[in-house]
Amino acid sequence: MDTDTVRSPAADDSAGRRREQRGWYFYDWACSVYSTSVLTVFLGPYLTSVAEAAADADGFVHPLGVPVRAGSFFAYAVSLSVVVAVLVMPLVGAAADRTGRKKPLLAAAAYTGAAATAGMFFLDGDRYLLGGLLLVVANAAQSVAMMLYNSYLPQIAPPEERDAVSSRGWAFGYAAGALVLVANLVLYTGHESFGVSEGMAVRICLASAGLWWGAFALIPLRRLRDRRTPAREAALPGFRQLAATVRDMRRHPLTLAFLLAYLVYNDGIQTVISQASVYGSKELGLGQSTLIVAVLLVQVLAVAGALLLGGLARRYGAKRTILGSLVAWTLTLAAGYFLPAGAPGWFFVLAAGIGLVLGGSQALSRSLFSQLVPPGKEAEYFSAYEISDRGLSWLGPLLFGLTYQLTGSYRDAIVSLVGFFVLGFVLLARVPVRRAIADAGNPVPQRI
C-alpha cells in the first residue's frame, strides 16, 4: 500500500473543519451588505422621505390609526424589529440546540431576510407601511440568522483557533460591505448617467443587498454540517425561554459576568456607529458625500483591524486584546471631542480610528464568549448574546440624546459615551476567563 496516499482520520477531520470554516466565513460575506448598505446608508433617509410623502399637513402618518411623526417612523420600525427578534431568538435557539438541526433554521432566517430586503425595490411613492413591514421582517430575520451563525463557532473551531476564525469572519463581512457599498455609490452618485432617477437608484441598491445576501448564503448552507445532540426538553415560548436561559446562566456566573461587561461596552460601540454621522453632519457641518466616504473608510479599515487584533490575540490573548481595544475606543472618542468643524480630513482620521478597533473588538468578543458556553447549549446562549448585541443597546442612544438635550452640544453627547468603555473595561478586567472557561466545562486554551 502506498502510504503517501493514505490520509489519517485526524487529517480528514482537519480538512473537513477547514472546509466548514471557509463556508462559515461566507455568511458574514453574504449578510453584512444588509447592515452596511441598507441600515447604515440608504434605508433610513429613503424610508423617512417615503413616510413624509404620505404624511398629513401636520407631518404625521397614521399606521393602524396611531399618529406617528414621519421623521420618527424609521426609528420606531427598527425598535419594533428588535422586539420581534427578542421574542423569536430564544425560541429558535432552543429548538436548534434541542434538535441539532441549525442549518434549516439558518436557511429559513437568511432567506426570509434576503427576500424582505429584495422586496424593498417596490418601496416607492407613499408606501411607508410596506417599507416598515419589510424592515421589521428583514431586521428580525437578520438577528435570528446571526444568532444561529454565531452558534456554529464552537463546533467548527477548537478553542485555540476561535479568535482567528472569528476575526476572519468579521473581516469577510467588512470586505463585502465595502465592495458592495462602492458599487452602490457609483450607481447612486451617477444615477443620471445610468438613466435612472435618484429614487430608483436607491431602490436598486436596497434590492441588490437582498440578492447578494441570498446568493452567497448558499455557500455556508452547503458547507456547514448539523450535529445531532441528545434529546432535550421542548423549547419554551419567547421570553420564557430567555428567562430559562438566564436562569441556567446563573449556574455559570462568570459567563454571565462576561455577558454583562460585553453588554456595557457594546452599547457604546453600537451608539458610536449609529450616531457618528449625526455628529459629523450636525456638529462638524460635513456634507453627505463626506459622511458616505467615511463609512466606506470604516468598512475597509475594519477588515485590516479585525485581522490585526486577531493576530494580537494569538500573541497576547483575547481578553488583553479586547481590553486594549477599549482603551483605543476611549482615546478615539476623546479625540473626537476636539475635532474642528468643517474639516473632513480630521473626521476621516476619526473614522480610521473607529474602523481599526471596530471589527476586532466585536470578533474577539464573539470568540471569547464561545469559550464560556456550556457544550450543547450554543444556540441558546448565543440567542442571549445576540439580544445583548442588538436588543439591549438602548442606553447609549438615550444618554447621547439626553446629553444633547441638556447641553445643546453634540460634542458633549459624543464624549458622554466614554463611560461605557471605561465601565466595560473595569467589568471585563474582573472576569477570570480561565476559570470561567473551565466552569463552563470547556478545555482551557494555552493563551486566552
Side-chain angles (χ1 to χ4, degrees):
M1 178 181 295
D2 184 356
T3 57
D4 290 338
T5 63
V6 177
R7 293 176 58 87
S8 69
D12 288 336
D13 289 344
S14 178
R17 186 171 74 249
R18 300 294 181 212
R19 173 181 167 81
E20 277 197 278
Q21 289 172 0
R22 288 190 291 269
W24 187 80
Y25 300 148
F26 268 96
Y27 189 73
D28 245 325
W29 175 273
C31 72
S32 290
V33 298
Y34 167 80
S35 300
T36 303
S37 291
V38 177
L39 277 185
T40 304
V41 177
F42 289 111
L43 184 59
Y46 185 70
L47 181 56
T48 300
S49 69
V50 172
E52 289 172 347
D56 59 22
D58 296 322
F60 285 84
V61 291
H62 299 270
L64 303 179
V66 178
V68 173
R69 191 173 294 277
S72 300
F73 182 74
F74 174 73
Y76 289 149
V78 172
S79 298
L80 179 58
S81 73
V82 170
V83 173
V84 174
V86 167
L87 289 170
V88 175
M89 278 194 291
L91 180 62
V92 174
D97 285 335
R98 178 172 53 86
T99 64
R101 292 180 57 79
K102 295 179 186 177
K103 193 155 69 169
L105 295 170
L106 175 61
Y111 282 103
T112 297
T117 305
M120 292 175 185
F121 178 80
F122 301 101
L123 176 58
D124 63 350
D126 59 358
R127 298 177 178 175
Y128 76 96
L129 280 177
L130 174 63
L133 175 62
L134 292 175
L135 170 59
V136 169
V137 172
N139 222 32
Q142 161 74 332
S143 296
V144 173
M146 283 301 296
M147 175 266 295
L148 293 165
Y149 163 73
N150 287 337
S151 72
Y152 270 101
L153 182 58
Q155 298 179 343
I156 65 171
E160 65 273 10
E161 294 182 3
R162 287 183 198 166
D163 292 340
V165 170
S166 183
S167 296
R168 290 189 197 112
W170 277 103
F172 264 61
Y174 282 115
L179 179 64
V180 174
L181 186 57
V182 167
N184 287 342
L185 290 179
V186 169
L187 173 62
Y188 178 73
T189 57
H191 61 86
E192 291 182 353
S193 61
F194 289 104
V196 297
S197 66
E198 181 178 335
M200 174 62 77
V202 171
R203 289 160 53 201
I204 292 173
C205 292
L206 294 173
S208 67
L211 297 176
W212 178 283
W213 186 356
F216 284 103
L218 289 171
I219 298 175
L221 291 173
R222 286 179 62 86
R223 293 194 172 186
L224 291 172
R225 294 188 297 111
D226 281 334
R227 276 85 169 167
R228 292 293 184 180
T229 58
R232 295 178 59 207
E233 65 274 9
L236 299 171
F239 282 116
R240 289 179 57 195
Q241 181 57 56
L242 178 60
T245 302
V246 173
R247 284 196 301 271
D248 187 74
M249 281 186 173
R250 292 174 63 183
R251 298 192 298 111
H252 304 283
L254 297 180
T255 300
L256 199 56
F258 171 83
L259 192 61
L260 175 62
Y262 172 75
L263 186 155
V264 172
Y265 68 75
N266 183 66
D267 200 348
I269 292 173
Q270 297 303 320
T271 307
V272 172
I273 293 172
S274 64
Q275 301 302 322
S277 61
V278 175
Y279 181 67
S281 62
K282 300 298 183 182
E283 184 70 34
L284 303 182
L286 302 177
Q288 183 67 27
S289 60
T290 299
L291 298 177
I292 292 176
V293 172
V295 171
L296 182 58
L297 181 62
V298 169
Q299 293 293 311
V300 172
L301 289 180
V303 177
L307 297 176
L308 173 63
L309 267 65
L312 291 175
R314 286 194 295 275
R315 183 171 182 178
Y316 299 107
K319 179 182 174 181
R320 289 181 180 178
T321 306
I322 295 171
L323 290 173
S325 76
L326 298 182
V327 173
W329 273 107
T330 301
L331 295 176
T332 300
L333 286 185
Y337 178 85
F338 297 101
L339 286 185
W346 287 109
F347 189 71
F348 291 150
V349 172
L350 181 70
I354 291 174
L356 287 174
V357 293
L358 174 61
S361 54
Q362 293 178 312
L364 294 177
S365 298
R366 176 172 65 184
S367 63
L368 184 54
F369 182 72
S370 74
Q371 312 258 23
L372 310 180
V373 176
K377 296 187 176 182
E378 291 84 4
E380 182 180 336
Y381 270 57
F382 266 106
S383 70
Y385 179 88
E386 192 69 17
I387 289 170
S388 300
D389 187 9
R390 297 173 184 270
L392 299 181
S393 295
W394 56 272
L395 279 174
L398 177 62
L399 178 62
F400 186 92
L402 286 176
T403 303
Y404 177 74
Q405 181 173 329
L406 294 173
T407 67
S409 169
Y410 282 107
R411 293 183 187 274
D412 292 338
I414 201 75
V415 83
S416 72
L417 302 178
V418 165
F420 288 94
F421 298 103
V422 173
L423 180 58
F425 181 99
V426 172
L427 292 173
L428 178 58
R430 298 180 53 152
V431 179
V433 291
R434 287 188 173 276
R435 183 150 58 90
I437 293 170
D439 289 351
N442 294 316
V444 181
Q446 183 176 3
R447 192 178 300 277
I448 186 65

